[in-house]
Amino acid sequence: MAAIIEIENLSKQYRGGTKALNDVSLTIEEGEIIALLGPNGAGKTTLISIICGLVVPTGGAVRVGGHDIATDWRAARRLIGLVPQEIALEPFETVMNSVRFTRGLYGEGSDDAWIGQVLRSLALWDKRDTPTKELSGGMKRRVLIAKALAHRPKVLFLDEPTAGVDVALRREMWQVVEQLRRDGVTIILTTHYLEEAEEMADRIGVIDRGRLLLIKPTAELMGEFGKKTLTIELD
Ligand code: ATP
């Protein structure tokens, strides 16, 4: 497997003093699903935002598909799709148009065959002509994912995909991630829940106070710690 994301000694100190990331290094292989687990304020969103080029780091380097985000940001950004925490959709647009719109933002020409494939994979095809405001919460989250995949990225970031959702919807999101895995997408997701990380990820990274405390294959980590210990530590 080839490395798709290489993070070296990454740090971020926000103005006003918060050291949100402290010397984080991590390599992610193509096709992997990585869960970044950590409590509020641990630095998960900051890490994702830096890789996506939305926040400028104060130290270290990130390469996506070999492209350095500091010098070759556009090429790096094309390889990435980001599903943000907040649901922000165009309420009066249909699902199809909403996804087409995002593809246009990347300067990509129309490719309805690809968008159709994405919508089918996310079980949204039957809703393609429905305005997004008429969709359920779970469907809206799927549309956000479809939008993030619109320009055919290699890597998908899911920032707390199940924050504030009920158990049924959380399970639905797990199934969506499983489908994306079958489609060969590399996924990095953040979560507060160990069971969620265990359910979906090949490797789990634990972040706390800006530091990547550990990153290990899921089975190995679960074997070493057991659910209870790790949950208590993070609480
Ligand atoms: P959550 O699980 O609540 O989303 P997180 O792990 O994603 O948390 P971050 O949002 O990356 O954590 O925040 C890490 C630290 O950086 C926190 O102390 C936060 O208050 C601080 N922080 C985040 N964004 C900014 C900003 N724009 N300016 C100043 N400090 C910030």
Side-chain angles (χ1 to χ4, degrees):
M1 273 197 295
I4 184 82
I5 295 185
E6 298 155 280
I7 301 165
E8 281 170 15
N9 308 109
L10 201 62
S11 294
K12 175 65 187 180
Q13 179 126 27
Y14 283 108
R15 255 176 236 214
T18 311
K19 189 135 197 179
L21 276 188
N22 196 347
D23 203 24
V24 170
S25 295
L26 170 64
T27 299
I28 296 169
E29 309 287 333
E30 242 177 277
E32 272 197 301
I33 299 191
I34 303 280
L36 297 173
L37 186 68
N40 281 327
K44 305 180 297 295
T45 300
T46 300
L47 178 59
I48 286 185
S49 302
I50 291 173
I51 302 169
C52 293
L54 302 172
V55 167
V56 179
T58 39
V62 177
R63 283 184 299 280
V64 182
H67 304 288
D68 192 316
I69 59 163
T71 54
D72 203 1
W73 177 76
R74 276 174 199 283
R77 189 67 182 86
R78 291 179 79 84
L79 300 178
I80 292 173
L82 171 63
V83 183
Q85 265 179 49
E86 309 294 327
I87 293 181
L89 292 169
E90 304 78 10
F92 298 100
E93 287 294 349
T94 64
V95 168
M96 190 79 186
N97 280 342
S98 178
V99 178
R100 278 189 188 128
F101 173 69
T102 307
R103 192 176 156 85
L105 290 181
Y106 280 86
E108 300 281 345
S110 64
D111 185 348
D112 283 357
W114 168 249
I115 293 174
Q117 196 177 315
V118 169
L119 294 184
R120 283 190 186 88
S121 184
L122 293 166
L124 281 171
W125 182 245
D126 292 348
K127 301 285 180 190
R128 63 192 179 282
D129 295 325
T130 305
T132 62
K133 68 180 169 63
E134 291 175 19
L135 299 175
S136 67
M139 290 277 180
K140 283 182 179 150
R141 280 174 196 263
R142 285 166 193 254
V143 176
L144 279 183
I145 295 173
K147 284 162 80 68
L149 291 170
H151 65 292
R152 278 189 189 242
K154 289 191 158 196
V155 185
L156 191 65
F157 287 90
L158 298 167
D159 198 2
E160 295 193 30
T162 61
V165 308
D166 62 25
V167 176
L169 195 46
R170 202 181 297 169
R171 291 195 181 281
E172 193 184 316
M173 286 309 298
W174 294 355
Q175 283 163 12
V176 169
V177 169
E178 193 49 45
Q179 178 60 45
L180 295 172
R181 176 207 291 279
R182 286 197 287 271
D183 293 343
V185 184
T186 305
I187 297 177
I188 294 105
L189 62 95
T190 66
T191 178
H192 287 196
Y193 308 111
L194 180 61
E195 60 158 355
E196 181 163 296
E198 184 189 7
E199 184 72 30
M200 293 194 275
D202 301 313
R203 284 195 293 159
I204 299 176
V206 178
I207 298 191
D208 194 20
R209 277 165 261 177
R211 287 192 178 273
L212 182 63
L213 299 183
L214 55 89
I215 176 145
K216 292 197 172 179
T218 303
E220 195 180 314
L221 187 86
M222 298 313 296
E224 272 178 30
F225 286 92
K227 287 185 191 182
K228 224 172 173 178
T229 321
L230 196 61
T231 307
I232 289 165
E233 273 178 19
L234 287 173
D235 285 344

